[in-house]
Amino acid sequence: MDNLSYRREINEAIQAGQEALRYLNDAKSCLNSAGNWGIVDMLGGGMLTTYMKRSKMKDADTLVQQARTSLKRFQRELMDVDTIPEFHLETGDFLTFADYFFDGIVADWLVQSKINDAKSQVENAIQKVTYLLNQLRRL
């Protein structure tokens, strides 16, 4: 591969990584918001609070799915990188039902735990993508 082709491949990988990073940062923001709503919900926020929390979780799930697609593209661009993590934000139908209809501290705590797990995964991915982008920029 000539130098021009090599540079083009690096630039394509950087673009894919930057796109994934944007989605991950947006997902992190939504999860932070969901977490804040979750705390209010645990303190007795009511149906509107539960709705807002769920809305932010749904937005975050959409962004994580978009990030996953971007990360797969990033991985294809970096054939020598095989450690792109899997991301999954799943609250499950029962937790959704429990969150709305058994609106109590146990259901709220379970959902809050899922939000915190998802935030941790997203933050981990942000660190890894940032590291890889920094490595690419040095080439």
Side-chain angles (χ1 to χ4, degrees):
M1 178 182 300
D2 64 39
N3 193 33
L4 184 59
S5 296
Y6 183 68
R7 295 294 324 151
R8 186 174 59 241
E9 290 299 323
I10 290 171
N11 287 336
E12 288 173 1
I14 289 171
Q15 288 175 340
Q18 288 172 329
E19 178 181 273
L21 201 54
R22 279 191 301 276
Y23 285 126
L24 289 167
N25 280 317
D26 289 347
K28 180 181 174 183
S29 178
C30 281
L31 288 166
N32 284 335
S33 182
N36 292 339
W37 283 108
I39 291 168
V40 173
D41 202 19
M42 288 180 4
L43 297 173
M47 290 290 280
L48 179 60
T49 302
T50 300
Y51 172 79
M52 292 302 295
K53 175 181 65 180
R54 284 283 166 189
S55 176
K56 292 297 180 182
M57 290 172 69
K58 184 178 177 187
D59 292 346
D61 186 47
T62 298
L63 290 162
V64 165
Q65 297 308 318
Q66 291 169 325
R68 180 181 283 155
T69 299
S70 294
L71 285 166
K72 286 179 182 176
R73 181 174 158 239
F74 188 37
Q75 187 173 20
R76 281 192 308 270
E77 297 293 341
L78 299 169
M79 292 301 207
D80 58 339
V81 177
D82 59 19
T83 57
I84 301 299
E86 284 292 316
F87 307 100
H88 196 57
L89 174 61
E90 164 120 24
T91 57
D93 291 336
F94 175 74
L95 283 183
T96 300
F97 175 81
D99 199 18
Y100 277 111
F101 295 101
F102 301 124
D103 193 27
I105 193 69
V106 173
D108 292 343
W109 180 81
L110 288 172
V111 173
Q112 193 70 16
S113 176
K114 292 287 187 181
I115 291 169
N116 289 335
D117 290 347
K119 278 181 11 182
S120 177
Q121 289 181 30
V122 167
E123 288 168 355
N124 186 25
I126 288 170
Q127 289 175 357
K128 288 180 180 183
V129 171
T130 300
Y131 172 79
L132 291 170
L133 284 171
N134 288 335
Q135 295 302 311
L136 284 170
R137 290 181 181 119
R138 290 184 184 143
L139 296 177

